[in-house]
Amino acid sequence: MPKVLDSTNFSFHHQTDIYHGKVRDVYSFKDKLVIVATDRISAFDHILPSPIPFKGQVLNLIAAHFLEATKDIVPNWVESIPHSNVTIGKKCEPIRLEMVIRAYLTGHAARTYKSGQRMLCGIPLPEGLHENDKLQSPIITPATKAEEGHDEDISKEDIIAQGIVSETVWDTLEKYTRALFQRGTEMAAERGLILVDTKYEFGIYEGKVILIDEIHTPDSSRYFHLAGFDQRQANKQAQEHLSKEFVREWLMSQGFQGKEGQQMPTMSNEVIETISKKYIQLYETITGKQFVPSEVSSIEEKIIAAIT
């Protein structure tokens, strides 16, 4: 197996803090953030036991691709990408929401619907839907951004009532979310894909809402293959997708959904290699570019040199 970047613990001059997220290590400076995309992988709000070769590079480069392609819609936090695993950008005050937008009844929404619920984040869903059906129009189903544990669904009304953001800021978040999703949908279609659902995160910088974190990556989005979608749906067949959903499906097949008392399954080398290849496949499919892996020997030293 190739060398992986499991974690980092650098100490830079003028560094003020370090935060180890599920996937990224975030280094804080006075007015900047340095984010290192590791090869860790998470699902159901748990970090899986084995990192995935090249996953950090894939995520960082896909995010860079889409952040560059959407900066005319909304300003974003990125200032430079000195290494394929590293992004440096503006330090913002994060808005503690994930702006999830869905165009299809898939994943969490499908599981909620199957359980009998017909209301998702205050939005009513019609009867008679089947898994992966296209919704009449995209719906925004926000989630609170938890420091630990599970993010929680929340309605627009509760967001405003709880003072998480003002109604004015909410209107801006909704406008940006829909515009970004429309651009992502168009870009996916050009590559023979359907952008099924995704999430965006925003922050406040100098009093304005800006886009932060990654966008349109397999960790934050689901993609279906466009060719044959309608026929598969008509025949009630599983859709061919490129996303992290295959990781969740594998975990569920092993009896794990992140619930109390469930044992995290061990990942074989074959499973790890399959996941790595799928991440690379998504990068090449969605961007139209060939994936060129960075040299992974002495990767920590190369990252330090790139940052400093």
Side-chain angles (χ1 to χ4, degrees), residues 52 62 94 105 107 110 164 183 188 190 277:
I52 305 300
I62 291 177
L105 188 73
I164 297 174
R183 178 67 57 82
E190 291 172 358
K277 286 180 178 178

Side-chain angles (χ1 to χ4, degrees), residues 26-295:
V26 182
Y27 294 86
S28 294
F29 297 81
K30 182 180 179 181
D31 59 349
K32 296 189 188 304
L33 289 180
V34 173
I35 297 186
V36 181
T38 74
D39 294 326
R40 296 191 297 270
I41 185 170
S42 70
F44 298 118
D45 293 313
H46 285 69
I47 300 173
L48 276 60
S50 301
I52 305 300
F54 307 118
K55 175 180 173 287
Q57 294 179 36
V58 165
L59 289 187
N60 200 53
L61 294 176
I62 291 177
H65 175 80
F66 284 107
L67 287 166
E68 177 65 24
T70 56
K71 64 183 183 181
D72 62 314
I73 296 174
V74 52
N76 65 60
W77 73 287
V78 175
E79 293 183 348
S80 66
I81 300 169
H83 184 277
S84 58
N85 286 77
V86 178
T87 301
I88 299 175
K90 304 174 184 69
K91 188 176 184 180
C92 309
E93 179 64 32
I95 295 171
R96 307 307 300 179
L97 288 172
E98 289 189 345
M99 294 295 288
V100 182
I101 182 166
R102 308 173 184 277
Y104 295 77
L105 188 73
T106 305
H108 169 63
R111 292 189 287 270
T112 299
Y113 193 89
K114 189 175 181 180
S115 73
Q117 298 182 53
R118 294 295 181 267
M119 189 74 73
L120 185 61
C121 298
I123 299 172
L125 297 172
E127 295 291 342
L129 292 178
H130 300 283
E131 185 172 6
N132 300 331
D133 276 354
K134 186 175 184 179
L135 302 174
Q136 186 173 6
S137 60
I139 60 173
I140 295 177
T141 58
T144 56
K145 185 67 176 169
E147 293 286 354
E148 294 183 1
H150 292 274
D151 299 336
E152 299 289 341
D153 289 346
I154 189 170
S155 68
K156 166 190 172 180
E157 290 74 19
D158 286 342
I159 289 168
I160 294 170
Q162 294 176 24
I164 297 174
V165 298
S166 68
E167 189 164 2
T168 299
V169 171
W170 169 265
D171 289 344
T172 299
L173 296 177
E174 182 174 6
K175 179 184 73 172
Y176 281 158
T177 295
R178 293 194 182 280
L180 288 166
F181 190 71
Q182 179 62 32
R183 178 67 57 82
T185 298
E186 293 166 358
M187 293 180 71
E190 291 172 358
R191 303 299 310 160
L193 297 172
I194 296 170
L195 180 57
V196 177
D197 55 32
T198 191
K199 60 96 174 173
Y200 305 110
E201 295 185 36
F202 297 91
I204 303 295
Y205 182 75
E206 296 182 345
K208 296 182 179 179
V209 174
I210 73 167
L211 182 62
I212 62 174
D213 202 45
E214 64 184 20
I215 66 167
H216 299 163
T217 73
D219 272 22
S220 65
S221 315
R222 290 184 181 88
Y223 292 92
F224 288 153
H225 287 281
L226 181 58
F229 172 84
D230 290 336
Q231 183 176 353
R232 287 189 294 272
Q233 201 63 13
N235 295 334
K236 294 184 171 57
Q237 296 174 310
Q239 289 295 338
E240 297 179 10
H241 57 76
L242 286 173
S243 70
K244 200 170 67 172
E245 187 66 14
F246 69 87
V247 178
R248 299 185 189 95
E249 290 174 352
W250 179 81
L251 289 169
M252 288 189 286
S253 75
Q254 304 298 307
F256 183 80
Q257 285 183 266
K259 297 179 180 178
E260 188 174 351
Q262 293 182 338
Q263 182 69 35
M264 175 76 73
T266 301
M267 301 168 72
S268 67
N269 284 345
E270 181 180 5
V271 169
I272 293 169
E273 185 177 3
T274 297
I275 294 172
S276 180
K277 286 180 178 178
K278 282 183 176 288
Y279 269 91
I280 292 171
Q281 179 189 12
L282 189 137
Y283 171 84
E284 295 185 337
T285 302
I286 192 60
T287 67
K289 304 172 184 175
Q290 182 179 0
F291 179 71
V292 180
S294 294
E295 176 57 53

